[in-house]
Amino acid sequence: MRIAATADLHYSVQRAALQDQLAPVRNEADILVVAGDLTNFGQPAEMELLLNVLVRLRIPIVAVLGNHDYESSKHEDLMRMMTTEGIKVLDGTGYERDGVGFAGTKGFVGGFGRGVLTAFGEPEIKTFVKASIDEAMKLERAMAQLRTEKRVVVLHYSPIAATVQGEAPEIFPYLGTSRLAEVVDRHGADLILHGHAHHGTATGKTVGGIPVHNVAITLLQSQQPSAAYKIFDV
Ligand SMILES: [Fe+2]
Ligand SMILES: [Fe+2]
């Protein structure tokens, strides 16, 4: 299966060029993955504009939401709009197509490796850490649902530090958490796709050796200005 992947479209009227850049995807891939931040402010009006573009691509689409899609607290409306147009929105859920399983969730912040924030001390810290653990558990559930041999994990936040390199080191803990990578390493997968780190690094690996790709469109376009997605063979 040929998978086209992108993220961080932050769609608005100014992004009209995206329509032409995405147009060839139908000939180059069997499915399109959008790894979060579809909109800039999580407004249904932004999603409506983007859906006009996505529907015309006439390709199956799998997506997770990103933090920007939550900004206006309309994320449930956005998910409903996407689902109505036939997009598979993964939120702690799995989806199988042509022998390939997709497990997805937004993910959350929390830091990497020895720097992972733990639930100790004030209740506010515990609430914050719980949000991170909850996303890891959602991913666990999604992965447990898959019965396919081939598996692709879709996240918005990064599961490893390597693919956020390039961003300011001070904000690394806000770009993802290795709690997500631990889940994937336990279940096994062929590929992890994420976004969020707009100026991160394209590729990395989990501790268990699973390839991780940051497909933020800003990063893809920094290498090739007209690129709106990257193709993977699974
Ligand atoms: Fe983003
Ligand atoms: Fe983001």
Side-chain angles (χ1 to χ4, degrees):
M1 178 185 275
R2 296 166 303 165
I3 299 169
T6 188
D8 300 279
L9 304 178
H10 293 264
Y11 202 75
S12 66
V13 269
Q14 289 87 35
R15 276 212 155 264
L18 195 62
Q19 187 156 351
D20 293 335
Q21 291 168 348
L22 284 170
V25 73
R26 187 167 182 258
N27 302 320
E28 295 177 10
D30 304 303
I31 196 162
L32 172 66
V33 168
V34 187
D37 282 357
L38 291 90
T39 64
N40 216 6
F41 297 107
Q43 289 286 345
E46 294 173 312
M47 182 56 81
E48 203 169 315
L49 285 171
L50 177 61
L51 286 175
N52 280 335
V53 173
L54 294 181
V55 165
R56 278 186 218 158
L57 299 176
R58 293 192 294 134
I59 184 169
I61 300 174
V62 168
V64 297
L65 294 190
N67 55 317
H68 279 250
D69 304 314
Y70 277 71
E71 169 59 15
S72 301
S73 298
K74 296 268 173 67
H75 48 279
E76 284 177 6
D77 294 341
L78 301 190
M79 282 193 219
R80 208 172 305 123
M81 291 169 75
M82 293 162 77
T83 305
T84 303
E85 294 297 346
I87 295 174
K88 296 288 169 197
V89 184
L90 303 180
D91 182 26
T93 46
Y95 169 63
E96 295 180 3
R97 188 180 180 96
D98 300 333
V100 178
F102 294 84
T105 196
K106 172 178 64 65
F108 198 58
V109 305
F112 303 97
R114 288 171 56 206
V116 168
L117 188 64
T118 54
F120 183 90
E122 300 92 324
E124 292 83 356
I125 293 284
K126 288 173 180 161
T127 303
F128 185 82
V129 171
K130 185 178 179 297
S132 193
I133 294 172
D134 284 351
E135 280 295 312
M137 283 172 64
K138 279 166 70 180
L139 181 59
E140 183 102 47
R141 265 202 308 277
M143 295 210 72
Q145 280 177 20
L146 299 181
R147 294 285 167 262
T148 53
E149 206 173 297
K150 291 180 179 174
R151 295 140 169 261
V152 176
V153 172
V154 185
L155 303 166
H156 180 57
Y157 287 92
S158 180
I160 60 169
T163 48
V164 308
Q165 296 284 339
E167 298 279 0
E170 294 85 352
I171 67 165
F172 279 11
Y174 311 132
L175 296 174
T177 176
S178 46
R179 286 184 195 277
L180 299 162
E182 286 167 21
V183 172
V184 186
D185 275 343
R186 220 165 24 244
H187 285 266
D190 299 273
L191 176 66
I192 306 176
L193 301 168
H194 76 87
H196 190 56
H198 291 199
H199 306 289
T201 294
T203 58
K205 268 186 184 359
T206 64
V207 172
I210 296 170
V212 179
H213 292 264
N214 179 352
V215 291
I217 193 166
T218 38
L219 196 54
L220 303 180
Q221 295 192 334
S222 71
Q223 288 158 358
Q224 193 194 329
S226 63
Y229 50 83
K230 192 168 173 178
I231 306 279
F232 299 90
D233 258 305
V234 170

